Amino acid sequence: MAGRGSLLAVLLIVAACATAGEGAAAAPAGQTPADAGSALPLRSVAAAAPLAPAGNERRLSLAEAEKLWRARNRELRLARMAVSGAEADVLTAGQAHNPQLSLNLASISPNEGLGSGGVRDKRMDSIVRLEQLIERGGKRELRVQGAEAALAAVRNDLQDTQRQQRQMLSAVYYELLLAQSRQMIAAETAALYGSSLDAANVRYRAGDLAGADLARLRIEKSRADNDFRQAAADCAKARVNLAYLLGLEREAAALVADDEWPPADFVASGDADLSLRPDIAATAARVLAAEKARDLARSLKKRDVTVGVQIEHNLQNAPLNSFGVGVSVPLFVNYEYEGEIARAEADLDIAREQYERLRAQAQGEVDQARADLIASAERRKNLENGLLADAERVARAAEFAYARGAMGLMDLLDARRTRRQVQLEASGARADHAKAIAAWRAALWSSPVTE
């Protein structure tokens, strides 16, 4: 305990000296040394860790990514095609049945044959008949109303696809921004250990550094290099995911997220009006469609009428030409559509239950999104307003003390690891907060996408 207390005292003294001697020169104009220490030093290693092949970067802000997403996203295209199909269903539902035209030849004698002469002089009975089905019970109107309700549901499905895909786009975009941040932190760490190892080799040859300390630095340098390789791989994976959503698979290697993190003071305000959510509106439209299907099934008990008119030409009878009319109706002797009606009633009950279930799930989604947003905002503020600056100051103090022989190598390495860990946690907290904002907006559907 006494050793740690003395070490802490040394760090605090050295930190004060380092801040006084170096902070003023390192901080930009208008920025205090403390502010400079709290900022995440990422841009300084951009040259050492390019985010995409040189001269081939395609930098995208989130707004630019959304424009590409609206135009090229495959899920949105499929949802729009489904709307076109539902519109065709409405057109189909509103059409009346086509009439039936039939030609019958009767009274043909197998012994005497058809006789000589033209077609009209043949010994046979020629009948041309035209029939038209007339629907009763409002079947056509019910079909149209059901198809229109289904169309409204599919249009809301398109909006819901936009809602979900937009949230996914934000999450994937911020995953890439996080991966880039981690790659730059890893590059900075690897570069720092590289310069330390070069200096240690000089000291070791001069007999001023123990071989064990040199070996420790080599181990840390190898770890830092491996961390950088993994961070680069994670960044490549994030680019591929974003490229798919934007329909830019062939340009995945060139994509760079070039936007700022959302503000840390974002407030989750507003009440959830679940009726505005497109998934719930789509389910409500399907309930209406199920009601119309139930009514259509019941209307099957209303007998449809088939009306027919015919013209007959018969050389063997008098008169030679005659006409007739006919009416036919089905007889419900064996079956009265009990199964169709029962099935439609069951489908309506299912649609209503699905509507209530979805509303409950949506309310839970809103509550969870609010809780996640509040927690992620608190975690981000805690890291950015205190821990990040403290870790940076302690690390600079450790570098200052080690360079002057006032601190051992193990303590320096521990300070470096702490700073790197806090930097990674801060980047992760920013990403979590950004994704929580996107999830909150999707849960509330506060900013619907316009076509």
Side-chain angles (χ1 to χ4, degrees):
M1 296 296 293
R4 289 194 176 275
S6 60
L7 176 61
L8 180 60
V10 171
L11 282 175
L12 292 175
I13 295 173
V14 172
C17 296
T19 302
E22 300 177 359
Q31 184 181 26
T32 65
D35 294 334
S38 64
L40 193 61
L42 299 179
R43 296 296 181 184
S44 61
V45 298
L51 299 177
N56 196 33
E57 291 184 353
R58 183 167 184 177
R59 295 183 171 272
L60 294 173
S61 65
L62 182 56
E64 293 169 340
E66 286 186 3
K67 291 181 181 178
L68 291 171
W69 162 76
R70 291 192 190 100
R72 305 174 65 93
N73 183 262
R74 292 177 175 82
E75 280 69 20
L76 292 184
R77 290 181 182 178
L78 289 173
R80 294 187 186 108
M81 293 175 187
V83 172
S84 299
E87 290 173 345
D89 291 339
V90 174
L91 179 62
T92 302
Q95 302 306 308
H97 290 274
N98 288 320
Q100 297 289 328
L101 178 66
S102 61
L103 172 62
N104 298 313
L105 302 177
S107 301
I108 300 175
S109 174
N111 297 322
E112 299 179 2
L114 297 177
S116 61
V119 175
R120 292 179 57 85
D121 298 327
K122 300 296 183 181
R123 288 194 295 269
M124 62 180 179
D125 187 7
S126 304
I127 303 173
V128 178
R129 184 176 182 84
L130 183 66
E131 294 181 328
Q132 174 68 55
L133 176 66
I134 300 175
E135 291 183 311
R136 299 174 63 241
K139 295 182 180 68
R140 182 179 175 185
E141 292 77 8
L142 290 171
R143 281 199 305 271
V144 171
Q145 293 170 4
E148 289 175 345
L151 174 59
V154 174
R155 284 173 173 166
N156 280 289
D157 285 341
L158 171 59
Q159 290 290 318
D160 191 52
T161 300
Q162 292 173 333
R163 179 183 72 90
Q164 296 182 28
Q165 288 292 309
R166 190 184 189 190
Q167 179 187 355
M168 185 179 297
L169 172 67
S170 298
V172 170
Y173 183 88
Y174 288 126
E175 279 293 334
L176 177 56
L177 195 59
L178 173 62
Q180 292 172 179
S181 175
R182 287 175 172 171
Q183 182 181 1
M184 287 189 285
I185 292 173
E188 180 189 49
T189 303
L192 179 61
Y193 278 111
S195 61
S196 297
L197 184 58
D198 292 339
N201 284 322
V202 175
R203 292 180 60 187
Y204 176 75
R205 287 192 293 269
D208 190 32
L209 184 68
D213 288 345
L214 181 61
R216 291 191 186 99
L217 279 175
R218 286 174 179 168
I219 293 172
E220 294 297 328
K221 176 63 168 63
S222 297
R223 288 178 175 174
D225 290 341
N226 289 334
D227 290 342
F228 173 74
R229 295 186 187 98
Q230 184 60 51
D234 293 340
C235 200
K237 293 177 184 177
R239 290 194 195 101
V240 170
N241 293 335
L242 179 61
Y244 172 77
L245 291 179
L246 302 182
L248 299 174
E249 291 83 2
R250 295 184 179 180
E251 302 179 39
L255 296 182
V256 176
D258 190 28
D259 211 335
E260 300 295 332
W261 296 108
D265 56 354
F266 178 86
V267 178
S269 60
D271 296 328
D273 186 359
L274 297 181
S275 62
L276 297 178
R277 281 187 40 151
D279 52 346
I280 294 178
T283 307
R286 288 190 170 90
V287 171
L288 179 58
E291 291 176 350
K292 299 304 178 182
R294 185 268 318 275
D295 295 341
L296 180 60
R298 290 177 176 176
S299 71
L300 293 175
K301 301 187 73 173
K302 293 285 187 179
R303 293 175 176 84
D304 296 336
V305 178
T306 301
V307 178
V309 60
Q310 70 180 34
I311 299 176
E312 183 175 356
H313 175 72
N314 191 346
L315 291 176
Q316 305 179 56
N317 293 329
L320 297 179
N321 298 315
S322 61
F323 71 92
V325 294
V327 177
S328 64
V329 294
L331 299 178
F332 297 157
V333 176
N334 299 318
Y335 187 61
E336 295 190 28
Y337 300 100
E338 294 88 350
E340 286 82 351
I341 295 173
R343 179 63 189 180
E345 294 281 1
D347 289 342
L348 177 57
D349 291 339
I350 292 172
R352 288 170 174 169
E353 188 63 30
Q354 287 177 340
Y355 175 77
E356 296 299 331
R357 183 188 68 173
L358 186 59
R359 283 188 64 91
Q361 291 176 343
Q363 185 60 57
E365 183 181 335
V366 170
D367 295 339
Q368 181 178 351
R370 180 186 289 109
D372 290 343
L373 179 57
I374 294 174
S376 62
E378 291 296 329
R379 179 168 174 263
R380 177 180 175 180
K381 290 177 182 179
N382 185 39
L383 283 164
E384 290 184 340
N385 295 340
L387 293 179
L388 190 59
D390 292 342
E392 184 67 28
R393 282 195 295 268
V394 170
R396 284 187 295 151
E399 298 285 351
F400 185 85
Y402 179 75
R404 288 157 178 77
M407 178 178 287
L409 179 61
M410 294 301 295
D411 294 323
L412 173 64
L413 296 179
D414 185 62
R416 286 180 177 178
R417 293 191 197 101
T418 300
R419 177 180 61 180
R420 178 179 176 275
Q421 184 62 33
V422 173
Q423 286 175 341
L424 291 176
E425 289 181 3
S427 296
R430 295 183 183 113
D432 291 343
H433 183 237
K435 288 186 284 188
I437 292 175
W440 166 255
R441 287 172 172 165
L444 238 63
W445 192 236
S446 59
S447 53
V449 181
T450 58
E451 287 290 327

